[in-house]
Coordinates of all heavy atoms in Angstrom, one line a residue:
N1 N 3.2 -15.3 -9.0 CA 2.1 -14.5 -8.5 C 1.8 -13.2 -9.4 O 0.7 -12.9 -9.7 CB 2.3 -14.0 -7.0 CG 2.2 -15.2 -6.0 OD1 1.6 -16.2 -6.3 ND2 2.9 -15.0 -4.9
L2 N 2.9 -12.6 -9.7 CA 2.8 -11.4 -10.6 C 2.2 -11.8 -11.9 O 1.4 -11.0 -12.5 CB 4.2 -10.7 -10.8 CG 4.7 -9.9 -9.6 CD1 6.1 -9.4 -9.9 CD2 3.8 -8.7 -9.3
R3 N 2.7 -12.8 -12.5 CA 2.2 -13.2 -13.9 C 0.7 -13.6 -13.8 O -0.1 -13.2 -14.7 CB 3.0 -14.4 -14.4 CG 4.4 -14.1 -14.8 CD 5.0 -15.2 -15.7 NE 5.0 -16.5 -15.0 CZ 6.0 -16.9 -14.3 NH1 7.0 -16.2 -14.1 NH2 5.9 -18.1 -13.7
L4 N 0.3 -14.2 -12.7 CA -1.1 -14.6 -12.5 C -1.9 -13.3 -12.3 O -3.0 -13.2 -12.9 CB -1.2 -15.5 -11.3 CG -2.7 -16.0 -10.9 CD1 -3.2 -16.8 -12.1 CD2 -2.7 -16.8 -9.7
L5 N -1.5 -12.4 -11.5 CA -2.2 -11.2 -11.2 C -2.3 -10.3 -12.4 O -3.3 -9.6 -12.6 CB -1.6 -10.4 -10.1 CG -1.7 -11.0 -8.7 CD1 -0.8 -10.3 -7.7 CD2 -3.1 -10.9 -8.2
L6 N -1.3 -10.3 -13.3 CA -1.2 -9.4 -14.5 C -1.8 -10.2 -15.7 O -1.9 -9.6 -16.8 CB 0.2 -8.9 -14.7 CG 0.8 -8.1 -13.6 CD1 2.2 -7.7 -14.0 CD2 0.0 -6.8 -13.4
N7 N -2.1 -11.5 -15.5 CA -2.5 -12.3 -16.7 C -1.5 -12.2 -17.8 O -1.8 -11.9 -19.0 CB -3.9 -11.8 -17.1 CG -4.5 -12.8 -18.1 OD1 -4.1 -14.0 -18.2 ND2 -5.5 -12.3 -18.9
S8 N -0.2 -12.4 -17.4 CA 0.9 -12.3 -18.4 C 1.7 -13.6 -18.4 O 1.8 -14.3 -17.4 CB 1.7 -11.1 -18.0 OG 2.9 -11.0 -18.8
T9 N 2.3 -13.8 -19.5 CA 3.2 -15.0 -19.6 C 4.7 -14.6 -19.5 O 5.6 -15.5 -19.4 CB 3.0 -15.7 -21.0 OG1 3.3 -14.7 -22.0 CG2 1.6 -16.2 -21.1
E10 N 5.0 -13.3 -19.3 CA 6.4 -12.9 -19.2 C 6.7 -12.5 -17.8 O 5.8 -12.0 -17.0 CB 6.6 -11.6 -20.2 CG 6.4 -11.9 -21.6 CD 6.6 -10.7 -22.5 OE1 6.6 -9.6 -21.9 OE2 6.7 -10.8 -23.7
N11 N 8.0 -12.7 -17.5 CA 8.4 -12.2 -16.2 C 8.4 -10.7 -16.1 O 8.6 -10.0 -17.0 CB 9.8 -12.7 -15.9 CG 9.9 -14.2 -15.5 OD1 8.9 -14.7 -15.0 ND2 11.0 -14.8 -15.6
V12 N 8.2 -10.2 -14.8 CA 8.1 -8.8 -14.6 C 9.4 -8.4 -13.9 O 9.9 -9.0 -13.0 CB 7.0 -8.5 -13.6 CG1 7.0 -7.0 -13.3 CG2 5.6 -8.8 -14.3
I13 N 10.1 -7.3 -14.5 CA 11.3 -6.8 -13.9 C 11.0 -5.5 -13.3 O 10.9 -4.4 -13.9 CB 12.4 -6.6 -15.0 CG1 12.5 -7.9 -15.9 CG2 13.7 -6.2 -14.4 CD1 13.0 -9.1 -15.1
P14 N 10.7 -5.5 -11.9 CA 10.3 -4.2 -11.3 C 11.4 -3.2 -11.2 O 12.6 -3.5 -11.2 CB 9.9 -4.7 -9.9 CG 9.8 -6.2 -10.0 CD 10.7 -6.6 -11.0
E15 N 11.0 -1.9 -11.2 CA 11.9 -0.8 -11.1 C 11.3 0.1 -10.0 O 10.2 0.6 -10.1 CB 12.0 -0.1 -12.4 CG 13.0 1.1 -12.3 CD 14.4 0.6 -12.0 OE1 14.9 -0.4 -12.5 OE2 15.1 1.3 -11.2
V16 N 12.1 0.4 -9.0 CA 11.7 1.3 -7.9 C 12.7 2.4 -7.8 O 13.9 2.2 -7.6 CB 11.6 0.5 -6.6 CG1 11.2 1.5 -5.4 CG2 10.7 -0.7 -6.7
S17 N 12.2 3.7 -7.9 CA 13.1 4.8 -7.8 C 13.3 5.1 -6.3 O 12.6 4.7 -5.4 CB 12.4 6.0 -8.5 OG 11.3 6.4 -7.7
K18 N 14.4 5.9 -6.1 CA 14.7 6.3 -4.7 C 13.6 7.1 -4.1 O 13.3 7.0 -2.9 CB 16.0 7.2 -4.8 CG 16.5 7.6 -3.4 CD 17.8 8.4 -3.5 CE 18.4 8.8 -2.2 NZ 19.6 9.5 -2.3
E19 N 12.9 8.0 -4.9 CA 11.8 8.8 -4.3 C 10.7 7.9 -3.9 O 10.0 8.1 -2.9 CB 11.4 9.8 -5.4 CG 12.4 10.9 -5.7 CD 13.5 10.4 -6.5 OE1 13.4 9.3 -7.2 OE2 14.5 11.1 -6.6
E20 N 10.4 6.8 -4.7 CA 9.3 5.9 -4.4 C 9.5 5.2 -3.1 O 8.6 5.0 -2.3 CB 9.1 4.9 -5.5 CG 8.4 5.5 -6.7 CD 8.3 4.5 -7.8 OE1 9.3 3.9 -8.2 OE2 7.1 4.3 -8.3
F21 N 10.8 4.8 -2.9 CA 11.1 4.1 -1.6 C 11.1 5.1 -0.4 O 10.6 4.7 0.7 CB 12.5 3.4 -1.7 CG 12.9 2.8 -0.4 CD1 12.4 1.6 0.0 CD2 13.9 3.5 0.4 CE1 12.8 1.1 1.2 CE2 14.3 2.9 1.6 CZ 13.7 1.7 2.0
N22 N 11.7 6.3 -0.6 CA 11.8 7.2 0.5 C 10.5 7.6 1.1 O 10.4 8.1 2.3 CB 12.6 8.4 0.1 CG 14.1 8.1 0.0 OD1 14.6 7.1 0.5 ND2 14.8 9.0 -0.8
K23 N 9.4 7.5 0.4 CA 8.1 7.9 0.9 C 7.7 7.1 2.1 O 6.9 7.5 2.9 CB 7.0 7.8 -0.2 CG 6.7 6.4 -0.6 CD 5.7 6.4 -1.8 CE 5.3 5.0 -2.2 NZ 4.4 5.0 -3.3
Y24 N 8.2 5.8 2.2 CA 7.9 5.0 3.3 C 8.6 5.3 4.6 O 8.3 4.8 5.6 CB 8.2 3.5 2.9 CG 7.4 3.0 1.7 CD1 8.1 2.4 0.7 CD2 6.0 3.1 1.7 CE1 7.4 1.9 -0.4 CE2 5.3 2.6 0.6 CZ 6.0 2.0 -0.4 OH 5.3 1.5 -1.5
L25 N 9.6 6.3 4.5 CA 10.3 6.7 5.6 C 9.7 7.9 6.4 O 10.2 8.2 7.4 CB 11.8 7.0 5.2 CG 12.6 5.9 4.7 CD1 13.9 6.4 4.1 CD2 12.9 4.9 5.8
K26 N 8.7 8.5 5.8 CA 8.1 9.6 6.5 C 7.5 9.2 7.8 O 7.0 8.1 8.0 CB 7.1 10.3 5.6 CG 5.8 9.6 5.5 CD 4.8 10.4 4.6 CE 3.5 9.8 4.5 NZ 2.5 10.6 3.7
T27 N 7.5 10.1 8.8 CA 7.0 9.8 10.1 C 5.5 10.0 10.2 O 5.0 11.1 9.7 CB 7.7 10.7 11.1 OG1 9.1 10.5 11.1 CG2 7.2 10.4 12.6
I28 N 4.8 9.0 10.7 CA 3.3 9.1 10.9 C 3.0 8.8 12.4 O 3.4 7.7 12.8 CB 2.5 8.2 10.0 CG1 2.8 8.5 8.5 CG2 1.0 8.2 10.3 CD1 2.1 7.6 7.5
D29 N 2.5 9.7 13.1 CA 2.2 9.5 14.5 C 1.0 8.5 14.6 O 0.1 8.5 13.8 CB 1.9 10.8 15.2 CG 3.1 11.7 15.3 OD1 4.2 11.2 15.4 OD2 2.9 12.9 15.2
F30 N 1.1 7.7 15.7 CA 0.0 6.7 15.9 C -1.2 7.4 16.5 O -1.1 8.0 17.5 CB 0.5 5.6 16.8 CG -0.6 4.5 17.0 CD1 -0.9 3.6 16.0 CD2 -1.2 4.4 18.2 CE1 -1.8 2.6 16.2 CE2 -2.2 3.4 18.4 CZ -2.5 2.5 17.4
N31 N -2.4 7.2 15.8 CA -3.6 7.8 16.3 C -4.7 6.8 16.0 O -5.3 6.8 14.9 CB -3.9 9.1 15.7 CG -5.1 9.8 16.3 OD1 -6.1 9.2 16.7 ND2 -5.1 11.1 16.2
L32 N -5.0 5.8 16.9 CA -5.9 4.7 16.7 C -7.3 5.2 16.3 O -7.9 4.7 15.3 CB -6.0 3.8 17.9 CG -6.9 2.6 17.8 CD1 -6.5 1.7 16.6 CD2 -7.0 1.8 19.1
K33 N -7.8 6.2 16.9 CA -9.1 6.7 16.6 C -9.2 7.2 15.2 O -10.1 6.9 14.4 CB -9.5 7.8 17.6 CG -11.0 8.3 17.4 CD -11.4 9.4 18.4 CE -12.8 9.9 18.2 NZ -13.2 10.9 19.2
S34 N -8.2 8.0 14.8 CA -8.2 8.6 13.4 C -8.0 7.5 12.4 O -8.8 7.5 11.4 CB -7.0 9.6 13.3 OG -6.9 10.0 12.0
F35 N -7.1 6.5 12.6 CA -6.9 5.4 11.7 C -8.2 4.6 11.6 O -8.6 4.1 10.5 CB -5.8 4.5 12.2 CG -4.4 5.2 12.1 CD1 -3.4 4.9 13.0 CD2 -4.2 6.2 11.1 CE1 -2.2 5.5 12.9 CE2 -3.0 6.8 11.1 CZ -2.0 6.5 11.9
E36 N -8.9 4.3 12.7 CA -10.1 3.5 12.7 C -11.2 4.2 12.0 O -11.9 3.6 11.2 CB -10.5 3.2 14.2 CG -11.7 2.3 14.3 CD -12.1 1.9 15.7 OE1 -11.5 2.6 16.6 OE2 -12.9 1.0 15.9
E37 N -11.3 5.5 12.1 CA -12.3 6.3 11.3 C -12.0 6.2 9.8 O -13.0 6.1 9.0 CB -12.3 7.7 11.8 CG -12.9 8.0 13.2 CD -12.7 9.4 13.7 OE1 -12.0 10.2 12.9 OE2 -13.3 9.7 14.7
E38 N -10.8 6.3 9.5 CA -10.4 6.1 8.0 C -10.8 4.7 7.5 O -11.4 4.6 6.4 CB -8.9 6.3 7.9 CG -8.4 7.7 8.1 CD -8.7 8.6 6.9 OE1 -9.3 8.2 5.9 OE2 -8.3 9.8 7.0
A39 N -10.5 3.7 8.3 CA -10.8 2.3 7.9 C -12.3 2.1 7.8 O -12.8 1.5 6.9 CB -10.2 1.3 8.9
I40 N -13.1 2.6 8.8 CA -14.5 2.5 8.8 C -15.1 3.2 7.6 O -16.1 2.7 7.0 CB -15.1 3.0 10.1 CG1 -14.8 2.1 11.2 CG2 -16.6 3.2 10.0 CD1 -15.2 2.6 12.6
A41 N -14.5 4.3 7.2 CA -15.1 5.1 6.0 C -14.7 4.5 4.7 O -15.4 4.6 3.7 CB -14.6 6.5 6.1
N42 N -13.5 3.7 4.7 CA -12.9 3.4 3.4 C -12.9 1.8 3.1 O -12.9 1.4 1.9 CB -11.5 3.9 3.3 CG -11.4 5.4 3.3 OD1 -12.3 6.1 2.7 ND2 -10.4 5.9 4.0
R43 N -12.8 1.0 4.2 CA -12.6 -0.4 3.9 C -13.9 -1.0 3.4 O -14.9 -1.0 4.1 CB -12.1 -1.1 5.2 CG -10.6 -1.0 5.4 CD -10.1 -1.9 6.5 NE -10.4 -3.3 6.4 CZ -9.7 -4.2 7.0 NH1 -8.7 -3.8 7.7 NH2 -10.0 -5.5 6.9
P44 N -13.9 -1.6 2.2 CA -15.1 -2.2 1.6 C -15.6 -3.4 2.4 O -16.8 -3.7 2.4 CB -14.6 -2.6 0.2 CG -13.2 -2.6 0.2 CD -12.7 -1.7 1.3
D45 N -14.7 -4.2 3.1 CA -15.2 -5.3 3.9 C -16.0 -4.9 5.1 O -17.0 -5.5 5.5 CB -14.0 -6.2 4.3 CG -12.9 -5.5 4.9 OD1 -12.9 -4.3 4.9 OD2 -12.0 -6.2 5.5
Y46 N -15.6 -3.7 5.7 CA -16.4 -3.2 6.8 C -17.7 -2.6 6.3 O -18.8 -2.8 6.9 CB -15.6 -2.1 7.5 CG -16.4 -1.5 8.7 CD1 -16.4 -2.1 9.9 CD2 -17.1 -0.3 8.5 CE1 -17.1 -1.6 11.0 CE2 -17.8 0.2 9.6 CZ -17.8 -0.4 10.8 OH -18.6 0.1 11.8
L47 N -17.6 -1.9 5.2 CA -18.9 -1.3 4.6 C -19.8 -2.5 4.2 O -21.0 -2.3 4.3 CB -18.5 -0.5 3.4 CG -17.7 0.8 3.7 CD1 -17.4 1.5 2.4 CD2 -18.5 1.7 4.6

């Protein structure tokens, strides 16, 4: 999949730093109305 998406013949060796991973651990409160407004404003399939 990666080679197809990158139009490359070589294997990809990913590198993920500790900081890059830790960003997924931050707390985000659930707010459906706010999330829906973001999606309506940004999602190209909705637009």
Side-chain angles (χ1 to χ4, degrees):
N1 289 336
L2 282 177
R3 290 196 301 271
L4 181 63
L5 289 168
L6 300 178
N7 190 21
S8 173
T9 58
E10 296 179 347
N11 280 342
V12 176
I13 310 300
E15 183 62 39
V16 179
S17 67
K18 184 177 180 180
E19 292 74 18
E20 286 178 304
F21 174 78
N22 286 340
K23 68 183 181 181
Y24 299 126
L25 292 170
K26 74 177 184 179
T27 303
I28 298 178
D29 295 329
F30 182 73
N31 187 331
L32 179 59
K33 183 178 180 181
S34 175
F35 293 150
E36 188 177 9
E37 289 175 353
E38 291 283 1
I40 288 174
N42 298 320
R43 275 187 60 157
D45 52 348
Y46 179 83
L47 297 175

